[in-house]
Amino acid sequence: YVNRLICFYTNTDTLLNKLLELSALIHEHNPDVIGITEILTKNRNMDLETQKFHIDGYDHHTNLEGRGE
């Protein structure tokens, strides 16, 4: 039974440079669900590893197929 559900959604337009800010918001509000879009860097030559996007206490599902292509 859940009496409230806290959800976060953000379009980060490159997540790596926003991880500290996102971590602070998560720590402050403790959301149940987090939705993040556009995590890829604009420099497509950069090799991304999904473990860089792991947030402790949350399961993640990542699609690195492209930026809406």
Side-chain angles (χ1 to χ4, degrees):
Y1 174 73
V2 175
N3 61 1
R4 67 183 184 125
L5 181 66
I6 300 172
C7 299
F8 273 11
Y9 167 81
T10 186
N11 177 326
T12 59
D13 192 28
T14 306
L15 178 61
L16 292 178
N17 65 347
K18 297 174 179 82
L19 282 174
L20 288 177
E21 179 182 356
L22 182 62
S23 294
L25 287 170
I26 290 168
H27 180 72
E28 180 180 345
H29 298 284
N30 195 29
D32 301 297
V33 177
I34 303 169
I36 304 170
T37 60
E38 295 197 26
I39 63 172
L40 293 176
T41 62
K42 291 181 179 163
N43 178 0
R44 296 301 298 267
N45 296 326
M46 183 178 196
D47 187 28
L48 295 176
E49 300 172 12
T50 58
Q51 48 277 41
K52 289 183 181 180
F53 304 118
H54 176 74
I55 301 170
D56 287 338
Y58 294 88
D59 294 328
H60 74 276
H61 306 277
T62 308
N63 178 352
L64 300 177
E65 293 299 317
R67 295 178 62 92
E69 297 172 359

